[in-house]
Amino acid sequence: MQRSRVCVSVLFLALSVHFSSSQTYVLDDKGGLGRLFDGIGGLSGGGVTEFLSLSLFFFFYQMKTTCQPYRSQILDYLFKPNFGASLHILKVEIGGDAQTTDGTEPSHMHYENDENYFRGYEWWLMKEAKKRNPNITLIGLPWAFPAWVGRGKNWPYDYPDITASYVVNWILGAKQYHNLDIQYVGIWNERKYDIKYIKVLRNMLDKVGLSGVGIIAADGDWSIANSMISDHALNDCVEVIGAHYPGTTTVADALKTQKKLWSSEDYSTFNDEVGGGCWARILNQNYVNGNMTATISWNLVASYYEELPFGREGLMTAKEPWSGNYVVESPIWITAHTTQFTQPGWTYLRTVGHLAGGGSYVALTDGKGNLTVVIETMTHDHSVCIRPPLPPFHVTSQNATFQLNGSFASIKELQVWRSQFNFKTKTPSLFEKLKPLKLIDGSFTLNLSEDEVYTFTTMTTGQKGVYPDPPAPAGFPKAYKDDFNVRNPPFSEAPHFADQTDEGQITCDVFMESVDSGGVFIAARVNKGGESVRSANGVFFWVFADGTYKVTNDLAGQTVLAEGLSGTRAYGWNTLSLTVNGQLASGQLNGYPLWKNAVVLNPKNGWAAIGTRSFELAQFDNFAVVAD
């Protein structure tokens, strides 16, 4: 703590004393300004990352009266201006009935003649964000499409008219049914962007009165820039070139287009203090190194099981709706250093860059006399992002003098906010308001230590929002039941689902709808989910529409523990019960033993689960878990 006190005293001493070894950085607008700032945001997508096990997180926090304040508090920390992260942008997945990382979000059009704009929770989330920040920018991105869009092919762009209509319908539905104005739509380029589709989409948007909706292409990397340079019609269709995990750099062709450049998906890093350091570094250096004027975090809030792919990679954590516990992680306050003191429409100064001793600084103005300067001195090992690999660099303590010239020369005082990660003592001090800084002849000098973030600003509206501590973490209830029935649900998915099991019983009513190939299962000790689910192990109790059953040690069905006749058929309800005790498992059908004492050596624990044989229709009801 002694070091922290010294740093503060040096800051105030620097009001009148300039260090002889100090490097001077000029902040000036006389030679013109840089690029327009478009904002900092979060992404809700990648398969229900914001909604634990399909719909648990938001539904519990929303619908249970005992948890109601915590749901609202979480949303305030994310979206409320001058409170927490105060996000400028919310980007959501346009659900596509497909696994897109950690789960599946439902499509607004399961079939070509089907439209429903109340499926999924993204509508509700966008409306909650707009309640808190009416000016928030809304973006939609389809990560996957129902098979009918590609006429059964695993590629959605062979029929661009159909795909464009599918996306445009979602934007129109957002307005018609939820009064939501979508400002941008992305073109996912998991394999390669499709130029014809982009042109068709632009034309269709214009024809239906959505000329104000901008296209982000290709929402993945910079490769489309070369095509835009040679194809003027394509260039006219695209408003933003978006890259994922660009490593703070861009390419020459992207700069030549003179288009907005965004890091349209970034961060994706475990949200401990190193994750906060990653976020601090790239928020500044995406512009300093790459001229990117917006950065969007994947993901918004980690409300999915930590054992799923990319566990706990949100700006904050809220994965226990049954307890009400949530954690305001360091990335929330690192975001605030920028978002609470700028707004989309502000402009970067041209005089931004790297510090001589490592780190970076950016400065932005609203053109009305206000100025915000954000400085970060994150060291290499304390700011590693999950991707791309971070090249070596060195940061050391340093003195820095900032000279305000041009229209800023008359500024006499700046508000000061500071975050110190304090990795050695493991006592971080995040988003702390210091005393205002008096300038002498438009100049101030400070001592910068390693792993710090500062904001110096004329804005006086910032605050570190706080609520009473939420309830302590708690394990999932040992007895859990769910009939999936909720009166007037805000969206149409099953509201709740269950947690992990090691020993106990799982029961569920099942109803198969495929006569020839129908099959459903209930399962225990499932050890993988999300994009890794195909290789999951566990205890899977299957029944099929052909009158048979099977018990397998894996989802793929390669390791069979038991099998035989069940008498089950499609279009009839059956009750399945699965009991696991130690290394033995048994199953019942409609209350009668069907198989028993199957030996299960591994896994030792895991999730309870329900599912189907393939991508088919089936119904489930009266799900229950009782753990020993």
Side-chain angles (χ1 to χ4, degrees):
M1 295 303 294
Q2 181 65 32
R3 179 180 178 184
S4 176
R5 289 197 293 272
V6 169
C7 289
V8 173
S9 64
V10 168
L11 175 63
F12 299 138
L13 183 63
L15 303 183
S16 58
V17 178
H18 285 207
F19 293 86
S20 59
S21 59
S22 179
Q23 177 75 34
T24 299
Y25 306 91
V26 176
L27 302 177
D28 198 347
D29 60 354
K30 285 189 297 187
L33 297 173
R35 291 190 172 222
L36 204 66
F37 175 63
D38 294 306
I40 307 300
L43 201 167
S44 173
V48 296
T49 49
E50 275 58 58
F51 216 27
L52 183 57
S53 287
L54 295 182
S55 51
L56 183 61
F57 163 65
F58 276 118
F59 215 103
F60 260 102
Y61 280 108
Q62 180 181 8
M63 302 304 293
K64 285 197 170 183
T65 56
T66 57
C67 291
Q68 172 70 10
Y70 311 124
R71 184 275 325 234
S72 182
Q73 291 168 16
I74 291 165
L75 294 169
D76 284 350
Y77 277 118
L78 292 168
F79 301 115
K80 186 177 179 180
N82 300 313
F83 188 84
S86 306
L87 293 172
H88 303 137
I89 300 169
L90 173 59
K91 180 178 179 179
V92 304
E93 178 177 354
I94 300 175
D97 291 343
Q99 160 62 246
T100 54
T101 299
D102 281 316
T104 300
E105 296 200 32
S107 170
H108 58 290
M109 296 179 70
H110 290 321
Y111 309 101
E112 192 166 6
N113 59 353
D114 163 71
E115 292 185 54
N116 184 321
Y117 298 95
F118 295 91
R119 295 181 184 131
Y121 60 85
E122 303 291 9
W123 313 106
W124 174 82
L125 178 59
M126 287 189 283
K127 287 188 286 188
E128 291 295 323
K130 291 286 279 189
K131 284 179 186 177
R132 289 159 174 81
N133 178 7
N135 297 319
I136 196 165
T137 298
L138 298 178
I139 305 172
L141 172 68
W143 290 33
F145 297 86
W148 67 265
V149 172
R151 293 290 188 254
K153 297 181 180 180
N154 190 28
W155 183 240
Y157 301 129
D158 286 341
Y159 303 91
D161 289 340
I162 295 174
T163 307
S165 178
Y166 172 87
V167 171
V168 169
N169 283 345
W170 184 87
I171 299 172
L172 292 171
K175 182 63 174 178
Q176 180 177 350
Y177 295 98
H178 303 284
N179 197 31
L180 294 169
D181 293 305
I182 306 300
Q183 282 104 318
Y184 295 93
V185 62
I187 311 297
W188 177 251
N189 73 328
E190 185 176 5
R191 280 194 257 174
K192 184 173 172 58
Y193 56 86
D194 187 278
I195 292 175
K196 184 178 180 180
Y197 166 69
I198 294 171
K199 293 177 179 178
V200 170
L201 176 60
R202 179 71 272 161
N203 182 59
M204 192 174 295
L205 288 167
D206 293 343
K207 282 187 174 179
V208 298
L210 295 173
S211 58
V213 176
I215 292 178
I216 305 171
D219 203 336
D221 59 35
W222 304 119
S223 60
I224 197 173
N226 180 263
S227 299
M228 291 170 61
I229 291 172
S230 59
D231 186 336
H232 296 299
L234 174 64
N235 188 71
D236 291 342
C237 291
V238 176
E239 184 170 341
V240 177
I241 303 178
H244 293 185
Y245 312 99
T248 76
T249 62
T250 185
V251 298
D253 282 347
L255 292 169
K256 288 178 183 177
T257 67
Q258 295 296 305
K259 294 291 184 177
K260 294 176 182 285
L261 307 181
W262 289 5
S263 179
S264 54
E265 181 179 321
D266 214 330
Y267 176 64
S268 189
T269 297
F270 196 80
N271 60 19
D272 58 6
E273 263 57 65
V274 172
C278 154
W279 189 230
R281 177 175 55 80
I282 63 178
L283 283 181
N284 264 24
Q285 296 194 28
N286 273 350
Y287 186 76
V288 171
N289 301 339
N291 285 279
M292 285 167 269
T293 55
T295 298
I296 301 173
S297 163
W298 189 89
N299 53 66
L300 181 66
V301 50
S303 57
Y304 52 103
Y305 294 123
E306 195 167 320
E307 296 79 5
L308 286 171
F310 309 103
R312 228 184 91 183
E313 295 193 1
L315 296 177
M316 63 183 294
T317 303
K319 59 191 178 75
E320 287 190 9
W322 51 88
S323 71
N325 176 260
Y326 64 86
V327 183
V328 183
E329 311 282 6
S330 64
I332 290 289
W333 302 120
I334 295 304
T335 310
H337 272 282
T338 300
T339 55
Q340 289 203 23
F341 312 107
T342 63
Q343 288 297 322
W346 282 45
T347 307
Y348 284 99
L349 272 60
R350 290 182 179 176
T351 50
V352 302
H354 292 277
L355 299 168
S360 64
Y361 64 99
V362 296
L364 302 97
T365 181
D366 64 352
K368 302 175 182 178
N370 284 307
L371 176 70
T372 291
V373 183
V374 184
I375 303 167
E376 59 82 22
T377 59
M378 297 308 306
T379 57
H380 179 282
D381 292 350
H382 294 151
S383 65
V384 177
C385 302
I386 190 173
R387 51 187 159 174
L390 184 60
F393 64 84
H394 183 65
V395 177
T396 186
S397 296
Q398 58 195 296
N399 298 325
T401 297
F402 288 86
Q403 178 65 52
L404 277 56
N405 289 344
S407 66
F408 312 118
S410 60
I411 293 176
K412 303 299 183 184
E413 180 180 275
L414 292 171
Q415 306 299 311
V416 184
W417 294 80
R418 181 185 65 188
S419 290
Q420 294 178 311
F421 283 94
N422 296 326
F423 284 97
K424 290 183 180 179
T425 62
K426 298 183 180 179
T427 55
S429 173
L430 299 174
F431 203 58
E432 177 187 8
K433 192 177 192 303
L434 305 183
K435 292 182 179 179
L437 179 65
K438 303 294 185 182
L439 275 63
I440 300 175
D441 297 327
S443 176
F444 65 95
T445 298
L446 61 150
N447 175 262
L448 296 171
S449 296
E450 300 171 1
D451 299 320
E452 294 184 330
V453 181
Y454 280 93
T455 298
F456 297 90
T457 181
T458 57
M459 303 297 292
T460 59
T461 52
Q463 65 170 318
K464 187 173 185 178
V466 62
Y467 284 114
D469 290 340
F476 194 86
K478 288 191 173 182
Y480 177 82
K481 295 181 180 180
D482 203 331
D483 61 9
F484 308 127
N485 296 327
V486 175
R487 181 178 295 177
N488 300 319
F491 38 82
S492 60
E493 271 52 61
H496 319 133
F497 207 53
D499 192 32
Q500 295 176 318
T501 60
D502 45 20
E503 296 185 359
Q505 184 181 78
I506 301 167
T507 302
C508 190
D509 296 339
V510 299
F511 184 96
M512 293 174 280
E513 297 187 23
S514 297
V515 175
D516 297 325
S517 60
V520 296
F521 69 80
I522 64 172
R525 297 186 181 178
V526 179
N527 67 349
K528 293 182 181 179
E531 63 186 8
S532 304
V533 72
R534 293 184 185 275
S535 59
N537 293 321
V539 185
F540 296 85
F541 177 17
W542 305 79
V543 293
F544 304 103
D546 65 0
T548 64
Y549 78 90
K550 185 180 291 186
V551 184
T552 66
N553 202 187
D554 58 337
L555 180 62
Q558 300 300 308
T559 304
V560 179
L561 305 178
E563 58 185 331
L565 297 176
S566 63
T568 51
R569 294 287 186 267
Y571 295 100
W573 283 99
N574 292 280
T575 301
L576 303 183
S577 295
L578 171 61
T579 302
V580 184
N581 192 348
Q583 296 183 351
L584 298 178
S586 302
Q588 293 186 335
L589 174 64
N590 298 323
Y592 296 95
L594 187 62
W595 54 278
K596 62 181 180 178
N597 295 333
V599 178
V600 182
L601 301 179
N602 286 294
K604 304 296 185 184
N605 54 58
W607 291 296
I610 56 178
T612 63
R613 184 182 205 173
S614 60
F615 297 100
E616 61 187 82
L617 294 176
Q619 298 180 42
F620 300 88
D621 202 358
N622 299 318
F623 179 86
V625 176
V626 179
D628 293 337

